[in-house]
Each structure stands twice: as C-alpha cells, then as structure tokens.
Amino acid sequence: MIRRVLVANRGEIARRVFATCGQMGIATVAVYSDADEASPHAREADYAVRLPGNAPSETYLRGDLILDAARRTGADAVHPGYGFLAENAEFAAAVLDAGLTWVGPPPKAIAAMGSKLEAKALLAEAGVPILPSWTEPNDVSEFPVLVKASAGGGGRGMRIVRAKRKLAEAMAIAGREAAAAFGDAAVFCERYIPNGRHVEVQIFGDTHGTVVALGERECSIQRRHQKILEESPSPAVDDELRTALCEAAVSAARAVGYVGAGTVEFLLDPDGAGRDQRDNSAGGDQRYNFAGGDQRCNFYFLEMNTRLQVEHPVTECVLGLDLVRLQLLVAEGRPLPFTQTPPMRGHAIEVRLYAEDPANGWRPATGTLHRFAILGEENAFAPLSHAGVRVDSGVADGSVVSVHYDPMLAKVIAWGWTREEAARSLESALTRATIHGVVTNRDLLVRVLRTPEFGEGGTDTAFLDRHPEVFPPLLTSREDQALAALAAALTGAAARRRTAAWGGLPAGWRNVASMPQIAVFDTPWGRTEVRYQLHRDGRLARWSAHIDDELTVDVAVVRLSPDEVVFDGAGVRRTFRVHTEDGVSYVDFLDGSVALVEVPRFTLPVAELPAGSLVAPMPGAVGRLAVTVGQEVAAGDLLLTLEAMKLEHTVHAPASGVVTELYVEPGRQVEAGDVLAVVDSRSHDQ
Amino acid sequence: MPVLASALDPRSAAYAENRAAMLERLGELEAAVTKAREGGGEKYTNRHHARGKLLARERIELLVDRDAPFLELMPVAAYGSDFPVGAGIVTGIGIVAGGPCMIIANDPTVRGGAVNPYTLKKTQRAGDIALANRLPMVNLVESGGADLPTQADIFIPGGRVFRDLTRFSAARIPTVAVVFGNATAGGAYVPGMSDYTIFVEGQAKVFLAGPPLVKMATGEEADDETLGGATMHATRSGLADFVAADERDAIRLARDVIRRVDGASTAGAVPPDPDAPAPRFDADDLLGVASADLRVPYDPREVLARILDGSEFDEFKPLYGTALVTGWARLHGHPIGVLANARGILFSEEAQKATQFIQLANAASVPLLFLQNTTGYMVGARYEQAGIIKHGALMINAVSNSRVPHLTVNIGASYGAGNYGMCGRAYEPRFLFAWPNAKSAVMGPQQLAGVMSIVSRQAAQAKGQPYDEEGDASMRAMVELQIEQQSAALAMSGRLYDDGVIDPRDTRTVLGLCLWLASRKAPAHAADPAFGVFRM
C-alpha cells in the first residue's frame, strides 16, 4: 500500500497529484528547483526537497537526484506527472529497481511507445490505421508533410514543410530542438492533413488484464501543434465512431501490455484525403460519419502517450472519476473498479491558460504574476460534482513566471449538461478572471469560445489559421479603451490622494482654472494621454482621452477608490477594477482587461542606443552566433539564435551593413530588451 | 460644539438677487483672469511653443505634484492699469515633492517677461508671503529684464528682490532658480542670489551684458553661449549648479532639489486633516448669502456654517457687542478664532469684545480669521463721548501686536478704520483675500460724495456765493462712480491690495491651505542669525 508519494514534477500537475493524495490519506513529497522555491507545489507538499539549479537538465530531469529525494523523505512511490521524466523508461525502471512503486505504465510499455516510429510500426501490425511516414528527406514523395520528433511530445519540434527544398533544414532544426528537449535527435516526416481533427482516447489498464477505454477527447484547437482547448465528448464523434476509436485504442494498449493511464491519439481525416492517396498506410477501409452529419471520415493512429495527459480533467468531469486515484489504485495492484466504460454525463471543455502573447507569434511571456484569481478555484484538482468551473493552476498571487519551464499557468475546465452550457460558463470564468502581471492567451481563448464555428463544433487543427479574428484583444472599442485609461488615471489619482501631503484639501483644486491633469499610458493600442479636470470639490469635471484623436465619453463618476471606479454613462453603471503594481495599472471590466503602463512625468536622461542596435525580443539563452564582429551582412541574414521555451528564435540583420558589436556569446542568458548586437548600415553605404 | 443653523432660503427673492449679482461679479473676475491666462496672446504663445518651450503655467503644472491643489496669488495684478493683467508673472503656492512652495514664473510671452512696477510689487508680495510662512521659493526665470520706460519706478525698489533672496537663504528657507531663457543684467542676480541654480542647456542666457552691449562697452566680440550659456556657467563660472537637458529635465531637477531640502525649512507643519468633517451646508449657497446691496448687512454665521468643519462654532460672548461675531471653530482640522462683522458698524462694545478675543487667541496660540463686512466705527456725539476712538484704538492695538497668524477675507464692505481694526492689508495678515462683491474704501461712495458736497456747499456759503445745485448733483454722481470703481474688489486686487479675489465657494479650501502654511514654523537651526549661503 502506498503511504508516501513523491511527485517528480512541478506546477499544477504536482498540485493535482497532491490533492488526490490528500484525500486518500497519502503523504506527499515535492521536489523543487531554485526558481520554484516559493511556488505553490513546493509549499503544499508535506515534504519538499530542493533540486539545485533551474534548467530542467539540472533539476526535474535528474532521476538520480529525485530517487535520492525519495530515499531521504521515505517516499514509497513516485508519480511522474506529465512531461519531464514521465515517459522515460529508464527512470521508470530505476524507480522500480530502487524498490519503489512507479505510478505509471511498465517501463517496457513506455519504451515501446517512446519512439513514434516504432509505435506506428507496432500498431500497423495490430491493424490500427496509420499515416505514411519517412525518415530520410530524399525519400519523401509528397507534400505537405509534418516533421516530427520521434521522442517526446507536446508538439515540440513539429514543423509543416510544403516544399522539398526546405525539408532538410527543417529536419535539422527539429532534430536540434528534439535533442535539446528530449535528448533524442531522431525525427521523421508524416503525411500532413491540414484540416484534420485531433481526437484521442483515454485508456486505463490494470495488472489484472483489464483495459478499458474511458471515452474520447477532442484536442483539435492547437497552436504550433500544442493543444490549447480540449473537450469531451468530441462533437465530431458519434457512438459508432466512438466504438471504433475505443476498440482501436484498446488494441493498441493491449499490443504493449499496457497498465495504468494512457492516451491513444488519433487524427480524424474529414474528407478522406489521407486515405485516398494512401500508399503504405495500413488499416481497414471503413469510413465513419461525423456526429450529426453525413460527411465521411477516416481515422489514423498518431501516437500513444504513456502517462496522464494535461487534459485529463475533461474526462474526469464527464465520467465523474478521479484518474489520479485510479492511477494510485492500479499502481498498488488493485483491479479497476469497472470493466467497461462508465456512462458519460454532460460535456466538459478545458482551456490552457498560457503566459504568452498570441498576437506576437505566441511569444512566451515572463514576469511576476501579481494577481491571479479565477472564479472556480475552489473547485480545483477534482472532478466537478455539479455544473460549473474547475481551475487547476500551478501559480498563485506573486508567482514568478520564468523562462525555465512551460509557460502554462492554469487549466480552466467547465462542465455542464450541454456543450453550450459548458462553453458559456468557461467563457464567463475567463472573461472575469483577474490575471495581472503577465501577458496571457486569455482573450484569444474567450474569442475562440465565442466563434460561431466553435459553437457548431467545427474544430480542426487549422482552426486558428482560419480565424485570424480571434487574435486581437477583447478590448477593441475605442470608447472602452478611453474609459479604461480614464479609470487608471482616476484610480491613480485616488491612490495619490490617500497619501497626499495636502491632506484634506480637494485634489486638483485650482482657484484659477488652468491646464488639465495629465496621465500618459503606454497601451496595447498605442500611447494614450488622459486629461482630466476636477471640480472644486474634487469631482470629475471634464476629461478627454487622446489616442489617435481626441475622444471623450460622457460619463459621471459614481464611486471612486484606489481600486475601483464606477462610471455612469447615459444611465448605465459599469464597474472598472484597477490594480496598480510597479507603475502598471491593470484594468478589468466585463468587456475587457488591459495593462496600462504609466509613462512617468520625468525620466532620467539616458544615453540612446546606437543606431542599428538589435535587442533581445524576449528573455532566453543565446544559442548560436552566425556572424563575427566586422562581418558584412545583407538584410535578413541570420545573426544569431535565441533559445527560449525550447524553441529556437532567430535574429536577423534588419538592413545590410557591418556587424560592429556582438555583446553576447552562446549560452548567455539575456533579458528582453538587452542589446545583442549592432549592425551599422551607414558604414556599408560608404 | 454647537452646530450653526441656517436661515437661508434658496427660494427667496433676496437669495436669487444675491446669487445673480454674485455670478455677474464672478463673470467679471473670470474675464480678468482669462486675460492673465492668455498672457501675451495667441501669436506670442504660438511662437513660444514653436520654439519648443513651455508656457509659464505649463512649467508650474509640471513642477507641482500631480493632483495637488495650486493657489494662484494675485492673478489680476495690474488690472485697471496700463500694464497687462497678471503683470507678466504667474505666482502661487504649489505642492512640490510633498511640500508647499512659493513659485514665481515669468511669462515670457508678455513683453518678453519684462518687469514693470506691478511685476515688482507682485514679486515682492510673493516674497513676503514666502518669508512669513517659511515657503521654499522656486523662481522659473525667463525675463528680458526691466521694462525700460518705467525703469525709474523699478530700479531703486527692485533691489529688494535680490536682498530678499539672500535673506531667505539666511533664514534657512531654500531658494531655487530654474533658468529657461534670458536672465540678464539685474535679472542675472536671481540665479546669482539663489541657493540652487538649474540652467537649461541651449536656452539659458545669464550675463550682465549681452553681445551688443559688450561690443559697445569694450569692443569685445562674444556670442550668447560664451557670455552666459548653461554649459559655460556650469563648467567655467560656477553660476549653474545643474545643467538640464531640456525644460522638463530642469523641472525634474528642481523637484529633486526641493525633495532634498524642504524638510529642513520648517518644523511641525500641520497639513489639512483629511478626516475633518465637511460643513453641513452646501458651499454653493455662499453665492446667495452675500447681499447684492452692500448697504444690507447679512449674518456671517451663514458663511461660517458653510466653511467651518462640521459647521460647528463655539460663539464667544454671543450676547455682548452683537454686531461682531466672535468664536472658536476648526477649519480643515486647524483650530481658529473667528471675528466676523454682523451688522456693519463697530461700536465700543464690539471693539472691546474683539480686543479681549484677540488676546485670548494669543494666549491659546490659535490663528485668527477676520471676515470683513464693516462700514467702520460708529460716529456721532454719543459715541465720541463714550470713547469710540479709544475703544477702536484698543482693537487696532490688539490686531497690530497679535502674534498669531491672521487670515483676512473681505466678504462685503471694508470701510474706514473698520478696515484697520478688522486686519486690513496694512496690518499684515498672512493672507488677505476678497470676494468678488467686496469693496474697500475710506468710506462708502455715497457718504464720500455727500461729504464732498457738504464741504463745497459750506465753502460757497462762507464766500457768500450761490451754490450750483446742478453742478453739485453731477459732481456727486461722478465721485460716487469713481469711488465705486476704485473700491471694487477687482480694482483693489489690480492694485495688489489683496492676494487675490476668490470665488466664495473656494473660501474653505483657500483658508485650509493658508492655515497649513501658517503652521510652518522655523526649526531650531534657523534661529541663529546667519548669512545666506554664498555662491562659490
């Protein structure tokens, strides 16, 4: 019997496992890197062991240190979460060799599924349909193809290639990324189906020979091949297709003697393109109806994930099961409490809230999360017992989002009796969330939930390419932008008022009417100047916002405090909440949220950057230098690469010229805005 | 404390008449202030902006703390004279880096910021206020120097400005000069005598003589920068302590200086209490309180009920000398003693009551507020025989030698010796403001014209000549009009006999600010006589 579990992971998944352990009376052990010292997962465990350093290779990927931590804390089981060592067969074996319980599938099953290439071959033999794939660039006979890493998951390293001449370079880059992320540079190409749907089946096996499929999840809405929205059941799957998918998934699991929680991923090909051009793809030629439609489709095995998935909560909500509890029971050698799929109830949708800027190439965002509050946090880490919202988060007020780990802040899951109800409560929870300090994809998620196509269930992997309208922030109305800026200006004034040297005198008072008070903000929509004048009793007399043009909205201030202002516009009252931290005002109201950076009235004179300076677009580590000082470069030439979040970002010459300065070397950690190099284009002109 | 009641009826005809008259006066005030605000007019304003420079008021707004109150002083100086309204400078009390300061800014759009006799008088009054209230002085300098046609009225008395600056320094009241442009000849001594100087690079021109005069005097050819540029003064002469990159940067530096030094200039100042209860009656009704006809006295308790904390007023000797209301109260948390005329005339009882009350305020070290609405001390045989001069003298004696801060607001009439007894300008209140309806004169216009008529008639009779009744009537009308105009609040303010005409609704705020300033006391280290800091 398990009495003390060490979770070899961090963030929300560590907390998720701890929550179930707490309910089951199992003691918990956390491991934490230096950057995570103050993080909730490290605080909440009964024991916590430091893993010195920050890079995953120094910390959460160090199986030896983790086993040592288990020994020192008396843990008798190890739960790997997802990512890091979750699909590392050697680590699983080492855990078992140390006499501990491994809360996961047998190492052999992990190894069998660890290579996507080998897994595909294995599944083809078992009669599961697969897509054609190639390992040599020269063998590829059709385009587009998807370049994939054989190891690992999470979409890392994946690239679509549409022409042969680009293939070799894409495979080389993918190989480097894969090597960095998973320690395995093997990559391959697979037929790319542009508007396929990603549907996966949760399976569970026990040591008594039972393997059960626990329904499907649709995860088609992806960015850069990483899921951002998952739901169960899939709107594309009817009972017939579900049965076929589940049968295929169970046979895949049986093929490797699977035990524990796993996920078999499939691609639904809506128009059968993948099938018609098939050459070496295996499987039957049965076609299935999309749910509720008469379009025909095929499905193909993609890969099997031998771990608990990020998106497991949607399955938990529709089945009313605690999958972590099942994992622990199975690890203890107990039989599953069911031998058939329990009935599904209602509909669950999960979104992944990331610290990233979708409108800016999904650039990862870092910083201090000053405030983080979402309605539903009280329902964390457990299947919902009533319709509503659940929030599994790895962060809390004050958490620092660093460059070291995946930028996912939380998963927000809504469960309702219908898909529409779930979508509505999810949209509402996201809209009303308070997220201050770090840019997130929240607005994009809300906009996705609001698209009619999502409402109709029309999701596929090309959804975001087809919907550029989901990328702008929610706050696009000029009037609301002006009001948000006014709210920041007035609450700022109210805050200053509270500590004002002039005590009880009215703010902004003038016996001779003079110039307005001015507050200037840098905003997502550009520089905004708010001018306001107060009455002799301190009430708002006049105001205007200057964005592109002068703009004002006829509003009265009903209530004003440093945290909140209530405007009355044409008899309608609206509340704007404002929180200011380090000169940034975070304004939240029902129609949007925005961070306004106040431009200080005075700045110290500073030396300007030399012309041609290139600054780091994001925090990260310098990868390769492609040039040397003194080298002539043409516009667009690669200068150097930056590695952040396991992705390689390139920095190119903005114009032709000579590299006059290189301030960095490979491996150097840089902050956003640091000067990397100077390209002098004048010297080139001469 | 007892709470004042109000008998004011906003629906009454009197109220409507009073309010209409007050709004008309406020309109005149706004028109005068607008002239001052417009400075040298659109053309010069645009030219100034085109040079990338800030206006005097823009410089002030940038200097003072965000959302802080600013009390502009003497905005209509030179009103009714041949000089531009405002007299080419903007001055007032602003909060800089948390501390109140006296700010004086030349308006270079008004005849190049030239100093005329009104400019000088306004500057000197600002200096008096700063010294009395220990306010750091910030000069925002850009002036072409003396208005040469009036140099005779400026040159000799003008020396006091520089003397005052160093006496501030000696009194340990910091002085800062920020030079945005010309500060030449005599003007060069403003930075010269200041504790701290900040020169704007490429703009400041500080020299005794510019290139043409130097050429005339010695034949030397030199340009502006060589003679008096910011960099030259910062690197060579040592006259500039800081060089600012631009105007905004200069203001940043000035704020930094004040932030460092203000704490040492005062001890124990008490800011307005944020928790002080507001008056129970609406300040807006102050517009309908003051009688449209000055000959109709009104109850000052209606004013007090709208400016005192919680409208609470502890009246002293309410049954004695009832034409003068005296009592204790708080205003923005500051304890004050109030003397307010109730029915115009001061009799012996009122004079004695005031004398006692002023002594009590001194005994308790409580500042005094004088609300003037007096036609003077009572005349007539009975009163002369009862010693009205002697009793008036008692009161004037007490006012003259009282050591607590005095604040005076003329809320109606201020005639005759009543002006003296009620702490008129000559009695050096810390601040003196007037409502737009107020009048100040030796006596009322009708009385004055009537006296002149009687004297003329007596002279004609003595010479046995017939009296020209028609001429008398037109003389009386003319004199009445002239006195009426001269005694009006705007005219008095134009002559700088007060610190500004204020909207009655601003009275509480103005007084609250002034009480805070008046609570600034010299710290121990300022007690020793000293020289001003010598610039090296």
Side-chain angles (χ1 to χ4, degrees), chain B residues 6-30:
Chain B
S6 176
L8 195 68
D9 179 6
R11 287 159 306 180
S12 68
Y15 180 95
E17 192 190 342
N18 293 345
R19 190 177 174 95
M22 185 63 86
L23 285 171
E24 197 181 331
R25 299 288 93 75
L26 281 171
E28 291 161 9
L29 171 64
E30 183 53 31

Side-chain angles (χ1 to χ4, degrees), chain A residues 23-73:
Chain A
Q23 283 165 12
M24 295 175 70
I26 297 171
T28 55
V29 180
V31 287
Y32 63 90
S33 68
D34 291 341
D36 282 340
E37 193 198 346
S39 74
H41 92 269
R43 282 204 309 264
E44 286 167 8
D46 295 319
Y47 295 87
V49 178
R50 177 181 171 224
L51 303 175
N54 285 317
S57 58
E58 297 174 331
T59 54
Y60 299 106
L61 289 173
R62 283 286 298 274
D64 54 337
L65 295 183
I66 289 165
L67 285 175
D68 185 53
R71 186 184 52 73
R72 285 156 60 199
T73 54

Side-chain angles (χ1 to χ4, degrees), chain A residues 565-621:
Chain A
V565 57
V566 180
F567 293 125
D568 185 321
V572 178
R573 291 187 175 191
R574 295 164 79 194
T575 302
F576 289 64
R577 287 175 296 128
V578 184
H579 174 69
T580 301
E581 196 93 41
D582 298 339
V584 183
S585 291
Y586 301 95
V587 184
D588 291 300
F589 58 112
L590 188 62
D591 304 288
S593 298
V594 67
L596 305 171
V597 182
E598 181 141 24
V599 179
R601 285 214 291 175
F602 304 103
T603 47
L604 289 174
V606 286
E608 283 178 27
L609 292 178
S613 293
L614 293 163
V615 296
M618 75 194 78

